[in-house]
Amino acid sequence: MQTLYEKLWKSHVVQEKADDLALLYIDRHLVHEVTSPQAFEGLRIAGRRPWRLDSVLAVADHNVPTTERAYGINDPISRLQVDTLDRNCEELGITEFKMDDVRQGIVHVIGPEQGATLPGMTVVCGDSHTSTHGAFACLAFGIGTSEVEHVLATQCLSIKKAKEMQILVDGTLGRGVTAKDVALAIIGEIGTAGGTGYAVEFSGSTVRALSMEGRMTLCNMAIEAGARAGMIAVDDITIEYISERPFAPKGDLWEKATAYWRTLRSDDGVIFDKVINLDAAQIKPQVTWGTSPEMVITVDGRVPDPAQTIDSVKRKDMERALEYMGLTPNTSICEIYLDKIFIGSCTNSRIEDLRAAAQVVEGKYIATNIKLAMVVPGSGLVKLQAEQEGLDKIFRDAGFEWREPGCSMCLAMNDDYLLPKERCASTSNRNFEGRQGPAGRTHLVSPAMAAAAAIAGHFVDVREVL
Amino acid sequence: MEKFSNLKGLVAPLDRANVDTDAIIPKQFLKSINRSGFGKNLFDEWRYLDNGEPEMDITKRKPNPDFVLNQARYQGAEILLTRTNFGCGSSREHAVWALQDYGFRVIIAPSFADIFFNNSFKVGLLSIVLSVSIVDRMFQEVYESEGYSLEVNLDCQTVTTSGGESYAFDIDPFRKSNLLNGLDEIGLTLQHMDLIKAFEEKHRINQPWLFK
Ligand code: SF4
């Protein structure tokens, strides 16, 4: 009997080493502009060539502007980084979706969208949210730049086998409760280090009922629970999503592939090192109040009081977080007023996310205290589809800005950022200090919750407005 | 990678849990296409009172006198003592480069985030896990005695206080040998080129759709 993780692991071992270490073969290498320049430079200095060009897919996403693209990138340092990626890809013959390509977008959105992420693969990228791709029963994890270079040069990585955790979510999610809320509820439960050292498999009836978009949101946030890899078994929903994607196999190969993919699930009765159970019916919309994703509470809750915490290290962390966030203990979450709204990022910028947000704002208008509400689709193709469905019009009519695809205010490397002390409802994944701009204040929520907050000007329970 | 040799170094305490890589090196500095020069922006938002931007003249910036690394007694520190889950968040290896460029050669914490931990060994920064109680004690000692230093011996896998107390730490043999010998991991892997090629052929037969 084997877990999904073991199956993925065993089918990629090139060489076993001591201490659970193995040389693993990498099938798909996604590359973006921020973590790759030093790796390409390293290859060049050592006189090495990429091992397998057809395994690499590159895109610029972190630095790209989300406004008018025709004029290129203003910031010369950002521009140099994107140009460097373009040059490296051209020189080596790597497939890249450039800034003016409709297929350009956030690396973790375009991989699955193109069918470049397929079940059974090992997928790596110099980016921690590579865990997203695990939604397709991949072993997918983020790596550092030295490893980017290592994979480019050898198609392999020396990896230590992780322990295995199963997170079982069963039952039906309430109206207005989404995969994002499940992810935040899990992190609230096990903490940001709860998954450290583990590969996590999400399963249970709730997970089976999620769309691929929802599953990607869940696996995306695995890293926020400390787990380098999150994954979900293959089923009809997985196969349906992949069918006809540009990079997906066709004809006979498709038949052969799907037969194999259907074996990519943990065998019944297999034992995990750790099991966490969640009851979907108990999960409410979540809002983070602090500077770590584990500082999260339900929308009907109040900002916690550090004085109630015994652990002194934890208490100090809470005090610091509250000071940074400009919040007082016991404030009701629904009394927190916002300045900006960000709907986007590799967590929540897919078509389903945009539909959920649009449904909430349709026919309404953002509150007067909201200085900026923006929607940043995850890719050019998501944007196009949303426009075909008329979502852009709904957002624009509601006072939102409708932008070009990229990471945008998820990490604010481009011109989209919070000013000091500005407070934002964000559908992204990290509420760390300074993440969305120096001294900016981030509250992580689902797209529907962010949309509802835009209309009200403060947090509201989306279940009451749907 | 540079060889890691044993060291006796000054310790600086960073008394926070869950220090994330956004805090270690903020995103605006990730625009660089170089591997060096990140040290001056290590912990930028905590270390300075003004907002840091790339290419700023460091001598014109306002250091935050309250931040621990700005205190005179910790200048020249080579060992960073910190709390649980150090290096969580983004996979940016720039965090490791920044710590190293600043002058740190060892980080001691009760736990590290996986990707940071892994990245640190790739470039010769030694991340050492010691128990919460030992780390607690070291925090107490570093606050109490100015000039507090520790001796790190990778060969013997020990951290020794100036009082002579010695604590053992774990490290897997592969990482240890790479560090001690300053080995190029890519070069090592390429010694197994035949194995990789053989695997690739078998893989191509089993899952031909993975190959163009
Ligand atoms: S959207 Fe945010 S989390 Fe995702 S890859 Fe971009 S910067 Fe990273």
Side-chain angles (χ1 to χ4, degrees):
Chain A
M1 275 194 298
Q2 287 184 328
T3 59
L4 170 58
Y5 176 70
E6 278 168 337
K7 291 180 186 180
L8 293 170
W9 178 270
K10 285 205 178 128
S11 58
H12 289 89
V13 172
V14 172
Q15 185 194 25
E16 301 258 19
K17 302 183 189 180
D19 279 304
D20 272 345
L21 203 73
L23 194 63
L24 282 198
Y25 187 83
I26 303 302
D27 295 314
R28 175 64 69 202
H29 188 186
L30 301 166
V31 170
H32 68 71
E33 79 275 24
V34 181
T35 53
S36 65
Q38 297 87 350
F40 285 117
E41 184 64 14
L43 276 192
R44 207 169 286 129
I45 291 168
R48 292 173 176 138
R49 300 275 309 166
W51 182 280
R52 217 188 102 204
L53 287 174
D54 70 340
S55 70
V56 191
L57 178 62
V59 71
D61 53 4
H62 285 61
N63 279 283
V64 299
T66 58
T67 47
E68 185 51 65
R69 293 247 165 108
Y71 309 108
I73 303 174
N74 276 333
D75 174 1
I77 313 177
S78 283
R79 189 168 62 232
L80 176 62
Q81 197 165 57
V82 173
D83 288 350
T84 303
L85 180 67
D86 291 353
R87 211 185 45 242
N88 282 323
C89 291
E90 259 159 40
E91 264 175 38
L92 295 168
I94 290 169
T95 307
E96 183 199 4
F97 298 158
K98 292 203 175 155
M99 220 166 72
D100 55 0
D101 191 317
V102 71
R103 298 169 298 177
Q104 182 270 341
I106 305 171
V107 65
H108 309 307
V109 174
I110 67 159
E113 187 173 78
Q114 292 295 320
T117 301
L118 295 172
M121 277 182 165
T122 40
V123 180
V124 297
C125 174
D127 194 287
S128 59
H129 291 100
T130 309
S131 60
T132 313
H133 307 263
F136 293 84
C138 293
L139 177 54
F141 51 90
I143 57 179
T145 300
S146 293
E147 288 176 311
V148 170
E149 185 180 337
H150 194 279
V151 177
L152 282 170
T154 71
Q155 210 59 38
C156 293
L157 273 182
S158 289
I159 296 284
K160 210 174 169 79
K161 201 168 178 198
K163 290 178 286 181
E164 295 173 65
M165 182 188 292
Q166 182 186 39
I167 300 186
L168 261 168
V169 195
D170 276 302
T172 310
L173 290 172
R175 233 165 83 84
V177 182
T178 67
K180 179 63 163 287
D181 301 300
V182 177
L184 287 170
I186 291 169
I187 296 163
E189 174 115 359
I190 69 173
T192 47
T196 303
Y198 288 94
V200 169
E201 182 176 347
F202 298 100
S203 47
S205 62
T206 317
V207 177
R208 296 264 68 88
L210 289 176
S211 65
M212 286 317 294
E213 283 84 352
R215 294 178 188 184
M216 282 188 259
T217 302
L218 200 53
C219 290
N220 174 278
M221 297 285 286
I223 184 67
E224 289 347 302
R228 210 171 167 185
M231 63 197 75
I232 294 174
V234 168
D235 61 12
D236 290 343
I237 295 176
T238 325
I239 288 174
E240 167 70 17
Y241 180 97
I242 300 165
S243 152
E244 305 297 322
R245 302 259 163 197
F247 285 61
K250 310 271 163 9
D252 280 356
L253 269 187
W254 171 257
E255 296 307 323
K256 200 170 169 211
T258 50
Y260 170 63
W261 293 344
R262 286 190 190 280
T263 67
L264 296 172
R265 50 188 289 274
S266 289
D267 297 327
D268 294 335
V270 70
I271 309 284
F272 288 80
D273 296 302
K274 193 167 184 179
V275 179
I276 307 278
N277 282 285
L278 261 86
D279 177 2
Q282 300 297 321
I283 301 174
K284 298 175 184 174
Q286 309 275 316
V287 181
T288 63
W289 55 266
T291 52
S292 157
E294 71 184 20
M295 295 174 168
V296 66
I297 197 147
T298 55
V299 65
D300 55 1
R302 287 175 181 277
V303 175
D305 186 353
Q308 309 290 322
T309 304
I310 304 154
D311 179 343
S312 69
V313 174
K314 211 167 183 166
R315 187 170 60 235
K316 258 195 283 171
D317 273 357
M318 287 173 76
E319 284 164 357
R320 202 170 331 179
L322 288 180
E323 193 192 323
Y324 181 88
M325 293 296 290
L327 292 172
T328 9
N330 300 315
T331 308
S332 151
I333 294 295
C334 289
E335 282 166 21
I336 299 175
Y337 280 77
L338 297 150
D339 302 301
K340 287 184 173 164
I341 308 291
F342 173 62
I343 297 177
S345 90
C346 58
T347 313
N348 282 128
S349 63
R350 298 178 182 83
I351 190 69
E352 184 178 279
D353 302 313
L354 305 192
R355 285 183 194 137
Q359 193 197 343
V360 173
V361 304
E362 184 160 22
K364 304 193 179 94
Y365 202 83
I366 57 172
T368 49
N369 58 307
I370 301 293
K371 296 183 211 160
L372 172 72
M374 62 197 285
V375 183
V376 184
S379 71
L381 290 171
V382 169
K383 180 168 184 259
L384 201 66
Q385 186 177 353
E387 287 169 356
Q388 280 159 1
E389 295 180 15
L391 304 185
D392 59 323
K393 181 153 189 328
I394 295 176
F395 284 118
R396 283 207 178 98
D397 288 349
F400 278 79
E401 292 193 13
W402 179 249
R403 298 288 187 92
E404 299 295 325
C407 294
S408 178
M409 212 158 69
C410 171
L411 95 163
M413 247 178 116
N414 66 353
D415 288 334
D416 310 330
Y417 49 80
L418 298 180
L419 295 173
K421 299 192 175 176
E422 274 184 341
R423 191 180 294 286
C424 180
S426 177
T427 66
S428 54
N429 42 54
R430 288 190 175 136
N431 50 351
F432 297 154
E433 285 185 25
R435 173 79 178 182
Q436 296 194 292
R441 295 163 173 171
T442 304
H443 296 272
L444 303 176
V445 287
S446 73
M449 281 288 291
I455 303 302
H458 54 87
F459 286 116
V460 286
D461 190 337
V462 68
R463 294 171 299 178
E464 285 161 16
V465 299
L466 273 178
Chain B
M1 183 169 77
E2 247 176 74
K3 271 189 195 176
F4 185 93
S5 44
N6 297 336
L7 95 147
K8 185 166 195 286
L10 186 69
V11 179
L14 183 64
D15 200 351
R16 292 182 182 225
N18 300 314
V19 172
D20 60 76
T21 53
D22 277 85
I24 298 173
I25 182 84
K27 75 295 206 105
Q28 62 271 37
F29 307 108
L30 308 188
K31 294 175 185 177
S32 167
I33 56 171
N34 303 314
R35 235 177 217 270
S36 56
F38 293 99
K40 62 182 190 297
N41 301 111
L42 176 72
F43 300 120
D44 200 276
E45 280 177 32
W46 294 341
R47 200 163 133 205
Y48 302 100
L49 293 169
D50 52 349
N51 285 338
E53 286 301 328
E55 297 180 344
M56 256 170 134
D57 180 355
I58 182 126
T59 58
K60 299 204 171 106
R61 298 197 54 192
K62 280 184 274 174
N64 176 0
D66 295 336
F67 184 59
V68 63
L69 292 187
N70 289 333
Q71 293 172 25
R73 61 187 283 194
Y74 300 121
Q75 297 315 302
E78 289 179 285
I79 299 174
L80 186 70
L81 180 69
T82 185
R83 300 286 184 185
T84 51
N85 201 26
F86 185 80
C88 60
S90 134
S91 67
R92 59 189 73 164
E93 197 168 301
H94 310 67
V96 178
W97 302 339
L99 286 159
Q100 229 174 10
D101 193 42
Y102 180 87
F104 288 117
R105 295 177 53 209
V106 174
I107 316 286
I108 298 176
S111 63
F112 291 87
D114 284 343
I115 303 180
F116 177 90
F117 190 71
N118 199 52
N119 283 345
S120 71
F121 290 102
K122 304 285 173 185
V123 290
L125 180 75
L126 176 58
S127 293
I128 296 179
V129 177
L130 292 178
S131 73
V132 175
S133 60
I134 296 172
V135 168
D136 266 346
R137 197 169 330 144
M138 287 178 170
F139 264 103
Q140 221 168 25
E141 289 168 355
V142 74
Y143 287 136
E144 279 166 8
S145 53
E146 195 164 336
Y148 180 78
S149 64
L150 290 167
E151 202 173 325
V152 176
N153 186 318
L154 176 56
D155 230 347
C156 310
Q157 298 180 215
T158 52
V159 179
T160 310
T161 66
S162 44
E165 277 158 296
S166 196
Y167 306 104
F169 64 89
D170 269 344
I171 178 170
D172 78 61
F174 178 70
R175 281 175 172 150
K176 180 173 173 178
S177 121
N178 283 0
L179 278 178
L180 283 175
N181 303 305
L183 294 179
D184 162 27
E185 209 183 313
I186 296 178
L188 282 181
T189 303
L190 286 175
Q191 289 175 4
H192 304 295
M193 207 184 263
D194 292 349
L195 280 178
I196 304 172
K197 285 191 173 145
F199 176 91
E200 202 165 49
E201 272 325 296
K202 195 183 72 190
H203 204 46
R204 192 192 291 271
I205 292 165
N206 290 339
Q207 299 185 53
W209 55 86
L210 297 178
F211 297 80
K212 248 198 198 146

